[in-house]
Amino acid sequence: MAREIDINMGKKVDLHMHSTFSDGTYTPTELVKMRADEGYDVVAITDHDGTGGVPEALDAGKKYGVTVVPGMELGTVYRGQSEIHLLGYDFDINDEFICNKLKEIEVYRNARNRRLLGVFQEMGYDIKAEDLVRHPGQRYIAKPDFAWVFVNRGYVKDVSEAFRSPKFLANSKAARQKQMKVDVEDAIRFINKAGGKCVVAHPMKIRGQGEKGSEEFFVNLEEMLKNLKEAGLYGLECYHPSASEEDSKRLEEIAARLDLRVTKGSDYHGPQTKQRG
């Protein structure tokens, strides 16, 4: 019988963490050991658009006595409009369709990065592709890596400023360089087909549903989740740093009405890093 994925899996649960296999600063082993030392029972490595860190995390879980749930975080879009980050859990990481889809996303992301690098070079910044690599063997390069270059060069004081400033990642030309977005309903179906379960990540960060935390926001969010439930959605990340205590309560109420599992995640990327979800 497939296991249930929710906040009741153990006394301490963190089902949303990022490693060096995407935009985190700790290896999967370091993350698992850190949580083990903190007394966690269940953790998941949910790197962006990839599962490369899962085998290492599973081995570390056996070594340190922590249950590790295989996972990833996938950038998706809902009906061509709202961007939704989808957490996939417990699926076959060797599934042929998923592996091909992740390779397609990687190829698209690498092309996007070349375009983005060209934008900044045209703006007069002397940065090269090799400047974006922050640790040996790094394959996943994304906008946070560009931000760290600007921090290290002293152009901005932190990653957050690099994302906000119109001189850098908030520049109109830079902002237009997007990652590939998979249709969320399609993603739910192919992850489910591979034996997995899908959870909407950090719902309070979803845009286009009205002012965050307003009644309009929660009404629109519930309608969207209702549609995704029909497509096979399993759960909702009700506990996340972007959600206040009151937000989490409202999200749990929505989950209960829609019969969605409730999950919890830190969205941990490492010390003093900008969490991009």
Side-chain angles (χ1 to χ4, degrees):
M1 180 181 293
R3 61 180 157 188
E4 304 294 343
I5 308 292
D6 58 31
I7 58 173
N8 298 312
M9 295 182 74
K11 293 179 182 178
K12 295 185 74 173
V13 176
D14 189 347
L15 295 172
H16 191 165
M17 296 193 295
H18 298 274
S19 79
T20 50
F21 279 82
S22 63
D23 57 348
T25 56
Y26 289 165
T27 67
T29 298
E30 289 170 335
L31 285 175
V32 173
K33 183 180 185 303
M34 177 184 72
R35 288 297 189 236
D37 291 343
E38 294 168 345
Y40 278 73
D41 302 294
V42 184
V43 301
I45 304 299
T46 54
D47 282 313
H48 293 285
D49 305 332
T51 59
V54 169
E56 179 183 331
L58 291 171
D59 288 343
K62 294 174 184 176
K63 179 178 180 180
Y64 297 111
V66 178
T67 297
V68 174
V69 179
M72 72 172 173
E73 182 174 2
L74 194 63
T76 69
V77 64
Y78 175 72
R79 299 186 178 178
Q81 298 178 338
S82 296
E83 292 186 9
I84 295 179
H85 283 222
L86 192 70
L87 294 163
Y89 297 111
D90 247 3
F91 57 93
D92 177 8
I93 64 172
N94 296 312
D95 178 82
E96 183 177 3
F97 184 90
I98 290 179
C99 289
N100 288 339
K101 179 60 68 173
L102 294 179
K103 182 61 180 178
E104 181 184 356
I105 292 171
E106 180 183 11
V107 170
Y108 188 97
R109 182 176 62 249
N110 290 341
R112 187 284 309 266
N113 289 340
R114 290 192 292 271
R115 295 194 303 271
L116 188 57
L117 189 64
V119 167
F120 289 124
Q121 289 172 341
E122 288 176 6
M123 292 171 66
Y125 297 107
D126 182 23
I127 60 173
K128 302 177 178 63
E130 52 266 33
D131 298 327
L132 302 171
V133 179
R134 291 192 286 143
H135 53 79
Q138 181 178 352
R139 290 187 57 180
Y140 181 96
I141 302 291
K143 287 186 176 181
D145 297 294
F146 285 85
W148 276 112
V149 171
F150 298 132
V151 172
N152 294 334
R153 295 284 178 86
Y155 297 146
V156 293
K157 66 178 184 298
D158 56 31
V159 169
S160 179
E161 183 181 350
F163 274 97
R164 294 194 315 268
S165 173
K167 295 181 180 179
F168 302 101
L169 289 162
N171 174 272
S172 59
K173 288 185 178 180
R176 284 197 294 269
Q177 308 308 317
K178 303 285 189 180
Q179 290 200 63
M180 175 180 168
K181 297 298 179 184
V182 179
D183 179 83
V184 65
E185 292 170 285
D186 287 345
I188 290 171
R189 294 186 185 103
F190 67 66
I191 290 173
N192 287 353
K193 187 176 180 181
K197 296 177 171 68
C198 295
V199 172
V200 168
H202 42 66
M204 298 307 298
K205 296 175 72 173
I206 297 175
R207 298 178 181 177
Q209 306 306 304
E211 183 180 351
K212 176 182 174 181
S214 67
E215 193 62 30
E216 178 190 17
F217 175 89
F218 286 111
V219 168
N220 290 337
L221 177 66
E222 183 165 355
E223 181 64 24
M224 177 193 297
L225 292 171
K226 180 181 178 181
N227 293 331
L228 296 182
K229 170 71 175 181
E230 293 175 358
L233 182 68
Y234 175 84
L236 183 65
E237 189 177 50
C238 297
Y239 293 90
H240 178 273
S242 64
S244 67
E245 184 176 342
E246 181 60 29
D247 292 335
S248 293
K249 180 180 178 182
R250 290 293 301 269
L251 293 171
E252 276 215 66
E253 291 170 353
I254 291 173
R257 285 194 292 272
L258 299 179
D259 192 27
L260 293 171
R261 293 284 179 167
V262 173
T263 70
K264 178 179 182 179
S266 67
D267 204 356
Y268 187 78
H269 287 67
Q272 299 180 338
T273 61
K274 174 67 175 178
Q275 295 181 356
R276 298 302 298 172

